[in-house]
């Protein structure tokens, strides 16, 4: 089974831009039926720091997909998840020639569950969630998990 996703990018040069080194990095992404997303480069790459950048969006996609995969495997295993949060990080290395790539992502999921006897299983299920995660399966860098779990009182 295949699914097709579409995104439309729109960018326009501003008159004051005289060379490619001065081009604005701000642009819009449109996905049918959804609000327009204003995007720029990361601040380190002369973008607008108030807007999302591709690196933000990649990490956001990864952390969101992992959570949804995790909730799925928890439901399969009879674990009731009450709360889920994550403060994920990803490391980008830039080469002298200007190319670069993510070399690692670290997810720090904090989970609260209702089943005190399933804490160990809840922690182990991050591995299964990573195996199912569409975005993690599309990455060419390691996605590591340092999860914690406690019982919701």
């Amino acid at each position: 089974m295949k699914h097709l996703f579409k995104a439309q990018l729109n960018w326009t040069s501003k008159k004051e831009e005289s060379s490619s080194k001065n081009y604005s990095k701000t642009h819009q992404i449109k996905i049918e039926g959804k609000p327009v997303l204003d995007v720029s480069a990361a601040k380190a790459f002369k973008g607008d720091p108030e807007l999302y950048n591709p690196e933000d969006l990649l990490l956001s996609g990864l952390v969101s997909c992992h959570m949804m995969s995790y909730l799925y495997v928890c439901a399969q295993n009879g674990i009731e998840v009450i709360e889920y949060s994550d403060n994920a990080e990803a490391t980008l290395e830039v080469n002298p020639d200007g190319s670069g790539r993510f070399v690692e992502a670290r997810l720090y999921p904090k989970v609260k569950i209702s089943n005190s006897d399933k804490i160990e299983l809840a922690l182990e299920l991050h591995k299964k969630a990573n195996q199912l995660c569409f975005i993690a399966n599309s990455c060419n860098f390691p996605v590591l998990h340092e999860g914690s779990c406690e019982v919701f009182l």
Side-chain angles (χ1 to χ4, degrees), residues 59 62-63 86-91 103-109 141-146:
L59 182 57
L62 180 60
V63 73
D86 198 332
N87 290 304
E89 302 173 339
T91 303
V103 295
E104 171 183 280
R106 288 189 178 270
L107 279 57
Y108 300 96
F141 53 85
V143 178
L144 308 171
H145 306 88
E146 296 181 29

Side-chain angles (χ1 to χ4, degrees), residues 7-61:
Q8 177 186 12
L9 183 141
N10 292 310
W11 175 87
T12 303
S13 177
K14 303 211 179 354
K15 286 187 179 184
E16 65 271 8
E17 297 166 348
S18 59
S19 75
S20 64
K21 289 185 179 186
N22 294 327
Y23 282 141
S24 168
K25 309 291 193 290
T26 301
H27 56 282
Q28 292 185 326
I29 303 288
K30 294 181 181 179
I31 298 172
E32 188 176 330
K34 298 178 182 177
V36 171
L37 186 60
D38 291 314
V39 180
S40 188
K43 182 180 178 182
F45 306 113
K46 299 181 175 49
D48 185 337
E50 294 183 11
L51 298 179
Y52 291 105
N53 60 63
E55 296 81 13
D56 291 335
L57 298 173
L58 187 144
L59 182 57
S60 297

Side-chain angles (χ1 to χ4, degrees), residues 62-78:
L62 180 60
V63 73
S64 179
C65 189
H66 180 81
M67 182 204 67
M68 289 185 279
S69 298
Y70 182 77
L71 294 175
Y72 172 74
V73 296
C74 282
Q76 287 183 318
N77 286 274

Side-chain angles (χ1 to χ4, degrees), residues 2 7 29 33 36 58 63 67 84 93 113 121 123 125 131 133 136-137 143 147-148 150 153:
K2 292 185 180 183
I29 303 288
V36 171
L58 187 144
V63 73
M67 182 204 67
Y84 185 107
E93 285 187 358
I113 63 173
L121 176 60
L123 289 169
L125 287 176
Q131 292 171 349
C133 177
N137 286 327
V143 178
S148 65
E150 61 185 61
L153 301 176

